[in-house]
């Protein structure tokens, strides 16, 4: 078997190492970032909750009824919707004031931006993982053209794995959390009703009984 | 005690002041005219729901946003960590001599744009944080301004109450009350705009945008009915100012979302699709060109 080219072996080994360690390492950070961001959405709808006083109809002629395949919707006629308080406009006949739970108008927009960022980070993590895998295949593909090179690459990469000075990928890449996914839960700090999370861990605190 | 508690405490105090003044009016009028059966009820009717006028501000809870901000900070710190920069730098410096189409794709479509993409992502995370912070700041400022407004209302009502010793005294007291109200109005002005929230929200293009809503209110009146009217105007003005600030925030967020949808960039794909042993069979060791001294 011919002697392998040392520089070529070094380059292929680095390519393999990048695919097997450096890319998964970066992918893990991105996956963790999706989890932190996901935790920011824990009970967020409550944070944005508002109470509004609105007029609701007491007469059939003040509402319009839409029927389609999804069902029947009853909506107050637009001209009957008055958001001011009763002492500002008075109470029109046929309508009555009712306090209703709504959400801040900012909420859907902020959620839209945050969700997009979360999707982007999740996509990037996934892309990094795929690219790492492809780099390994690329290194394997090149090395397989020459048995001596392939053997030398394998030995070098095994040496990398034993070298404590080299930064290595975590054993497991955290699960990417996309918008809408169920939140992980942790019950040790149950007295707190809000999200909580130290670096590199996601600890979402439940204020309800844990699932069996 | 939280701002929310303070607002409701002051709301109760305001309501009580209105009621006491109404009682005083009732007593004065009883002394000079025969009372109608439901006169007292009609007198206090405008003040019966004074407390409710303040409830919307008391129900705001800026502290609810703190956990969200904390997690977004974690996100930013994770994305911005040196480990990612170091890992990508190691990849760049160690993969120097790989050539050919696959290598070019990898460098052009992944390595080169990656840092720029990451900067945009950190930027975007910062924008999300700023938007939540802005929402929090708006609510906090509105509550502070409401407390200032309530102090002004209480001051004005106390002046009216103090001067209402009798029917004729009341006429004499009008000018003093107006004077006190003018002083209260100046006090609002001198502490700066009643509601001024300055925020710099950076759009994804890097262009700085700012939210700046300036708002001032005055409570005045020669009698409780006029005070309650100007108080309602002031409360509505505060609420409108809050709405305008939120509108600006919504506008900025919508712009960011549009930009993301339009320019969404992900490092990758072409390279992944063209691995040498799958796409074109050019897995050739010659594509690695070690430094001349070692060849």
């Amino acid at each position: 078997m011919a002697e392998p080219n040392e520089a070529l072996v070094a380059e292929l080994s680095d390519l393999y190492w990048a695919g097997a360690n450096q890319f998964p390492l970066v992918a893990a950070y991105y996956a963790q970032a999706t989890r932190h961001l996901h935790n920011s959405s824990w009970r967020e709808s409550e944070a944005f909750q508002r109470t509004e006083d609105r007029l609701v109809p007491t007469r059939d002629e003040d509402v319009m009824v839409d029927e389609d395949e999804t069902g029947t919707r009853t909506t107050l006629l637009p001209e009957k919707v008055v958001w001011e308080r009763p002492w500002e406009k008075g109470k029109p006949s046929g309508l009555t004031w009712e306090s209703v739970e709504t959400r801040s108008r900012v909420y859907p927009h902020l959620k839209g931006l945050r969700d997009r960022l979360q999707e982007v980070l999740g996509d990037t993590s996934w892309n990094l993982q795929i690219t790492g895998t492809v780099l390994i295949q690329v290194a394997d593909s090149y090395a397989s053209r020459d048995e001596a090179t392939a053997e030398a690459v394998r030995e070098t990469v095994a040496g990398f794995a034993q070298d404590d000075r080299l930064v290595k990928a975590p054993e497991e890449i955290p699960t990417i959390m996309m918008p809408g996914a169920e939140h992980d839960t942790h019950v040790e700090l149950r007295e707190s009703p809000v999200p909580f999370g130290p670096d590199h861990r996601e600890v979402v605190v439940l204020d309800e009984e844990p699932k069996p | 005690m939280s701002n929310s508690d303070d607002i409701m405490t002051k709301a109760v105090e305001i309501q009580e002041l209105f009621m006491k003044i109404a009682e005083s009016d009732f007593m004065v009028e009883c002394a000079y005219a025969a009372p109608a059966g439901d006169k007292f009820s009609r007198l206090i009717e405008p003040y019966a729901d004074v407390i409710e006028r303040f409830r919307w501000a008391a129900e705001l809870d800026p502290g609810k946003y703190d956990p969200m901000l904390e997690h977004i900070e974690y996100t930013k710190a994770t994305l911005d960590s040196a480990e990612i920069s170091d890992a990508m730098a190691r990849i760049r410096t160690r993969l120097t001599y790989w050539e050919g189409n696959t290598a070019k794709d990898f460098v052009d479509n992944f390595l080169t744009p990656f840092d720029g993409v990451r900067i945009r992502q950190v930027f975007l995370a910062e924008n999300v944080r700023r938007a939540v912070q802005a929402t929090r700041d708006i609510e906090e400022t509105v509550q502070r301004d409401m407390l200032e407004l309530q102090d002004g209302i209480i001051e004005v009502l106390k002046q009216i109450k103090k001067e209402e010793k009798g029917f004729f005294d009341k006429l004499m007291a009008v000018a003093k009350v107006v004077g006190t109200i003018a002083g209260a109005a100046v006090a609002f002005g001198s502490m700066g705009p009643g509601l001024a929230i300055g925020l710099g929200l950076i759009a994804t293009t890097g262009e700085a945008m700012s939210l700046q809503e300036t708002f001032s209110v005055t409570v005045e009146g020669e009698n409780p009915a006029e005070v309650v009217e100007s108080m309602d105007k002031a409360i509505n003005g505060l609420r409108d100012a809050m709405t305008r600030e939120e509108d600006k925030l919504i506008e900025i967020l919508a712009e960011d979302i549009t930009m993301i949808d339009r320019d969404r960039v992900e490092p990758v794909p072409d390279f992944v699709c063209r691995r040498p042993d799958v796409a074109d069979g050019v897995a050739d060791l010659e594509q690695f060109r070690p430094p001349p001294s070692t060849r």
Side-chain angles (χ1 to χ4, degrees):
Chain A
M1 192 161 56
E3 284 294 309
N5 180 317
E6 287 181 11
L8 177 62
V9 168
E11 187 80 352
L12 285 177
S13 302
D14 283 345
L15 191 63
Y16 190 98
W17 185 250
N21 278 276
Q22 303 305 296
F23 274 86
L25 177 68
V26 179
Y29 272 86
Y30 269 86
Q32 188 58 53
T34 68
R35 303 182 74 86
H36 287 314
L37 198 55
H38 192 58
N39 284 343
S40 78
S41 67
W42 171 248
R43 303 185 74 167
E44 66 179 352
S45 61
E46 290 180 26
F48 287 92
Q49 192 167 295
R50 299 266 175 87
T51 304
E52 300 277 4
D53 295 303
R54 64 184 305 177
L55 284 169
V56 294
T58 55
R59 302 181 308 195
D60 288 346
E61 55 266 37
D62 292 331
V63 299
M64 55 186 173
V65 179
D66 291 325
E67 286 186 43
D68 57 24
E69 63 277 3
T70 61
T72 303
R73 284 184 303 281
T74 305
T75 315
L76 186 64
L77 288 169
E79 64 271 21
K80 297 293 182 187
V81 177
V82 183
W83 288 91
E84 287 85 358
R85 298 288 308 219
W87 49 79
E88 297 160 358
K89 290 272 182 174
K91 188 177 76 173
S93 172
L95 298 177
T96 184
W97 285 99
E98 190 175 273
S99 283
V100 291
E101 296 295 332
T102 62
R103 287 184 184 143
S104 161
R105 294 174 309 114
V106 174
Y107 176 61
H109 301 274
L110 207 150
K111 183 178 186 306
L113 187 64
R114 199 267 326 282
D115 285 356
R116 279 168 173 80
L117 174 61
Q118 197 173 333
E119 286 168 7
V120 165
L121 300 183
D123 288 349
T124 302
S125 178
W126 184 237
N127 282 335
L128 284 159
Q129 293 178 50
I130 293 174
T131 304
T133 304
V134 171
L135 282 186
I136 292 170
Q137 291 177 351
V138 168
D140 278 345
S141 174
Y142 283 120
S144 66
R145 298 293 190 272
D146 174 18
E147 184 53 36
T149 300
E151 181 60 29
V153 167
R154 275 194 290 274
E155 284 177 11
T156 307
V157 170
F160 286 164
Q162 301 299 319
D163 190 343
D164 291 337
R165 293 167 302 174
L166 293 177
V167 180
K168 300 179 181 69
E171 288 182 7
E172 190 177 346
I173 294 175
T175 303
I176 295 168
M177 294 297 259
M178 288 305 228
E182 192 172 341
H183 288 87
D184 285 348
T185 55
H186 189 282
V187 294
E188 286 179 12
L189 299 170
R190 287 173 52 194
E191 72 276 9
S192 173
V194 294
F196 191 83
D199 267 332
H200 301 288
R201 285 186 205 291
E202 65 291 332
V203 183
V204 176
V205 182
L206 271 185
D207 62 348
E208 56 195 25
E209 288 300 314
K211 291 175 184 172
Chain B
M1 191 182 269
S2 69
N3 281 346
S4 296
D5 294 336
D6 286 343
I7 288 171
M8 290 314 289
T9 302
K10 286 178 192 287
V12 170
E13 186 179 351
I14 290 168
Q15 169 118 338
E16 285 174 355
L17 277 168
F18 271 119
M19 289 300 186
K20 280 176 184 168
I21 294 168
E23 280 174 18
S24 173
D25 280 353
F26 180 67
M27 296 304 289
V28 168
E29 293 190 22
C30 281
Y32 293 93
D38 61 349
K39 195 169 183 65
F40 185 68
S41 298
R42 277 191 276 113
L43 259 175
I44 64 169
E45 191 181 4
Y47 321 116
D49 55 4
V50 161
I51 293 174
E52 294 307 309
R53 288 157 155 91
F54 300 98
R55 193 174 294 283
W56 66 272
E59 285 182 347
L60 300 174
D61 184 2
K64 278 187 175 177
Y65 300 108
D66 290 344
M68 294 175 67
L69 288 166
E70 190 178 24
H71 284 284
I72 296 168
E73 285 289 359
Y74 290 146
T75 307
K76 266 184 63 193
T78 305
L79 282 180
D80 213 12
S81 67
E83 280 81 358
I84 294 180
S85 310
D86 292 348
M88 298 310 286
R90 281 192 294 272
I91 293 167
R92 273 190 207 93
T93 54
R94 294 180 76 167
L95 296 180
T96 314
Y97 305 111
W98 180 24
E99 294 179 343
N101 292 336
T102 310
K104 189 172 184 309
D105 279 347
F106 176 58
V107 172
D108 291 350
N109 296 323
F110 203 109
L111 280 187
T112 302
F114 186 86
D115 280 348
V117 169
R118 186 158 73 103
I119 288 170
R120 285 166 61 96
Q121 290 167 338
V122 174
F123 213 49
L124 187 54
E126 171 61 11
N127 263 14
V128 173
R129 190 198 66 77
R130 285 182 187 220
V132 176
Q133 184 68 52
T135 307
R136 189 192 193 290
D137 289 348
I138 288 171
E139 292 191 6
E140 193 168 44
T141 309
V142 164
Q143 285 198 321
R144 275 204 311 267
D145 285 344
M146 180 59 92
L147 286 168
E148 293 277 347
L149 175 61
Q150 288 178 312
D151 285 342
I153 296 166
I154 289 168
E155 193 175 333
V156 168
L157 289 173
K158 280 182 176 173
Q159 283 299 317
I160 292 177
K161 183 169 175 286
K162 187 179 166 188
E163 299 302 333
E164 280 187 350
K165 295 169 184 154
F167 187 67
F168 295 106
D169 289 340
K170 185 179 166 188
L171 291 176
M172 297 288 287
V174 171
K176 290 179 188 172
V177 173
V178 173
T180 306
I181 295 160
V186 171
F188 276 115
S190 64
M191 56 159 278
L195 178 66
I197 302 171
L199 299 164
L201 197 68
I202 303 170
T204 38
T205 54
E207 178 189 356
M209 298 179 74
S210 67
L211 293 174
Q212 188 104 45
E213 180 65 35
T214 304
F215 174 68
S216 62
V217 294
T218 304
V219 180
E220 59 191 359
E222 297 178 1
N223 53 56
E226 286 181 12
V227 173
V228 86
E229 188 181 340
S230 73
M231 180 186 84
D232 282 346
K233 277 185 187 164
I235 292 172
N236 292 340
L238 186 58
R239 198 161 188 170
D240 289 346
M242 180 178 175
T243 302
R244 288 198 297 277
E245 296 234 356
E246 288 184 338
D247 283 345
K248 289 178 187 173
L249 185 56
I250 288 169
E251 190 181 328
I252 294 168
L253 287 168
E255 192 173 323
D256 274 6
I257 288 171
T258 304
M259 273 189 265
I260 293 168
D261 290 346
R262 188 186 61 206
D263 301 335
R264 190 158 161 172
V265 175
E266 287 300 325
V268 152
D270 281 356
F271 160 71
V272 174
C273 296
R274 282 191 265 167
R275 63 191 76 174
D277 56 342
V278 174
D280 53 14
V282 291
D284 184 350
L285 291 179
E286 283 302 306
Q287 290 192 343
F288 288 86
R289 302 199 180 280
S293 60
T294 63
R295 298 189 84 183

